[in-house]
Amino acid sequence: MAMARRVPHVVGLVKRNINRNMSFKSLDPPSSLTHGVHVFHCSDAVGIVAKLSDCIASRGGNILAADVFVPENKQFFYSRSDFVFDPVKWPRVQMEKDFLKLSQTFNAIRSVVRVPALDPKYKIAVLASKQDHCLVDLLHGWQDGRLPVDITCVISNHHRGSNTHVIRFLERHGIPYHYLCTTKENKREGEILQLVQNTDFLVLARYMQILSGNFLRSYGNDVINIHHGLLPSFKGGHPSKQAFEAGVKLIGATCHFVTEELDSGPIIEQMVERVSHRDNLQSFVQKSENLEKQCLSKAIRSYCELRVLPYEEKKTVVF
């Protein structure tokens, strides 16, 4: 139900694929080496791959895998490189300077490098309404390290009692919970902005409120939303029941960036699963919720691993 905003940068439809895995014995770097990721987006030109490779190799780094995408009939270049390096020989500050010089050479639209072992985790806030399944899955994913993020707070328009699983979990781990009662006239967006001002992106874990264009522009960072794949045919408060009664055979989930156009932002991840006449309403809903959890979790990981790049106005490249 939330609206999608700007798009992170995705790398996905591989037109030209450079996979250097075959020349390496293993993707696991020696213990003395550190893993890095670099994504690049610029106008297409001769020699970009050579310059990227040289930038890493000249400092003693080694490319483990690289993906390149050049859209057909469009002069744009997208790439994502996994590499290992010795942080003693290639300090993090020097790495930033080297990739900046490369981006200036090609007048890059986007050039981002991350070193997960050295860089701070992304800070996120999670917005949720009454349904718990996506929120609980995110909390557990954060707890066991599946999601490389730090959750600064959970914000909800639904009151949860002190003895609920969510509240007990948040209190045990020191994560603030903010209950903001919303109405049609007051979405409490000013207060939400105050609570999320130091975050890198937001996650709407089945947050059943529409974020305004003013909110999205004021926040300025990406917002990721999850919803069931039963839209647009089955709208309203009980879409799963409607779909079940209609006898659908495929259900799904879609994770996308929030923009001012409702549920129409660039897609990051989608998943589907078969259902049949053997499913009752309970198993139908369970399958739908499981898809939503898996889809959202994978989208967040892809975003944090720099696999998502904006492509054209309403698309993404996901490497």
Side-chain angles (χ1 to χ4, degrees):
M1 285 284 303
M3 315 206 33
R5 231 185 85 8
R6 284 181 347 186
V7 194
H9 313 347
V10 186
V11 183
L13 309 170
V14 180
K15 185 70 177 179
R16 298 195 313 223
N17 184 31
I18 303 173
N19 192 334
R20 308 191 197 281
N21 294 354
M22 64 184 69
S23 62
F24 294 86
K25 294 181 180 178
S26 171
L27 284 180
D28 295 326
S31 57
S32 60
L33 299 181
T34 300
H35 173 248
V37 180
H38 177 256
V39 293
F40 204 57
H41 175 201
C42 64
S43 297
D44 194 24
V46 174
I48 301 175
V49 172
K51 290 289 187 181
L52 275 168
S53 300
D54 184 63
C55 178
I56 295 170
S58 65
R59 296 292 184 178
N62 197 11
I63 296 177
L64 300 181
D67 287 294
V68 171
F69 171 54
V70 177
E72 187 175 359
N73 300 322
K74 293 182 176 65
Q75 296 301 305
F76 287 106
F77 174 95
Y78 300 84
S79 74
R80 180 183 185 275
S81 303
D82 277 291
F83 61 94
V84 290
F85 69 101
D86 185 339
V88 175
K89 296 179 180 178
W90 199 9
R92 185 67 178 83
V93 175
Q94 183 61 52
M95 178 186 292
E96 203 71 44
K97 292 179 180 178
D98 291 343
F99 281 117
L100 175 60
K101 182 179 179 181
L102 182 71
S103 70
Q104 292 171 341
T105 299
F106 292 101
N107 194 25
I109 299 167
R110 177 176 174 84
S111 176
V112 179
V113 61
R114 274 190 67 82
V115 180
L118 302 178
D119 297 345
K121 292 181 179 179
Y122 286 105
K123 293 181 179 180
I124 71 168
V126 181
L127 280 70
S129 291
K130 184 176 182 179
Q131 289 181 295
D132 277 347
H133 59 283
C134 285
L135 172 59
V136 169
D137 188 68
L138 289 183
L139 294 175
H140 290 165
W142 164 79
Q143 181 185 35
D144 63 24
R146 285 185 289 114
L147 297 178
V149 298
D150 281 331
I151 301 176
T152 64
C153 67
V154 172
I155 301 168
S156 180
N157 62 332
H158 174 70
H159 175 71
R160 288 175 169 83
S162 59
N163 200 37
T164 59
H165 172 69
V166 168
I167 297 301
R168 292 200 309 268
F169 181 98
L170 295 176
E171 289 179 347
R172 188 162 63 248
H173 294 280
I175 300 174
Y177 181 84
H178 302 283
Y179 165 55
L180 299 178
C181 180
T182 59
T183 64
K184 289 184 179 180
E185 296 74 27
N186 185 4
K187 302 292 186 179
R188 312 289 291 271
E189 290 187 344
E191 292 159 89
I192 296 174
L193 282 171
Q194 288 293 317
L195 294 171
V196 304
Q197 59 183 341
N198 294 319
T199 57
D200 296 301
F201 66 95
L202 302 182
V203 175
L204 308 185
R206 300 294 287 152
Y207 185 61
M208 309 305 286
Q209 298 292 314
I210 296 174
L211 299 177
S212 70
N214 285 335
F215 176 92
L216 297 174
R217 287 187 293 271
S218 298
Y219 178 59
N221 294 334
D222 290 316
V223 181
I224 295 176
N225 183 42
I226 181 71
H227 63 69
H228 57 76
L230 304 173
L231 295 172
S233 298
F234 306 103
K235 303 178 181 180
H238 302 283
S240 292
K241 187 173 186 294
Q242 296 176 53
F244 174 75
E245 291 175 348
V248 302
K249 302 304 181 187
L250 277 177
I251 58 173
T254 296
C255 198
H256 63 89
F257 291 108
V258 177
T259 61
E260 293 187 42
E261 189 176 355
L262 180 62
D263 288 336
S264 299
I267 294 170
I268 306 170
E269 183 61 56
Q270 288 183 303
M271 294 183 179
V272 296
E273 183 172 341
R274 276 206 164 273
V275 290
S276 76
H277 58 279
R278 298 184 183 279
D279 283 290
N280 57 30
L281 180 58
Q282 182 179 3
S283 65
F284 187 100
V285 171
Q286 184 70 59
K287 287 181 178 180
S288 181
E289 291 183 351
N290 285 341
L291 281 179
E292 291 172 15
K293 293 187 291 186
Q294 295 167 26
C295 188
L296 180 58
S297 180
K298 185 174 181 181
I300 293 172
R301 288 198 307 272
S302 294
Y303 184 93
C304 293
E305 293 170 359
L306 301 185
R307 297 184 181 277
V308 183
L309 295 169
Y311 169 50
E312 297 185 335
E313 186 176 346
K314 293 188 174 182
K315 298 180 181 180
T316 54
V317 175
V318 181
F319 283 125

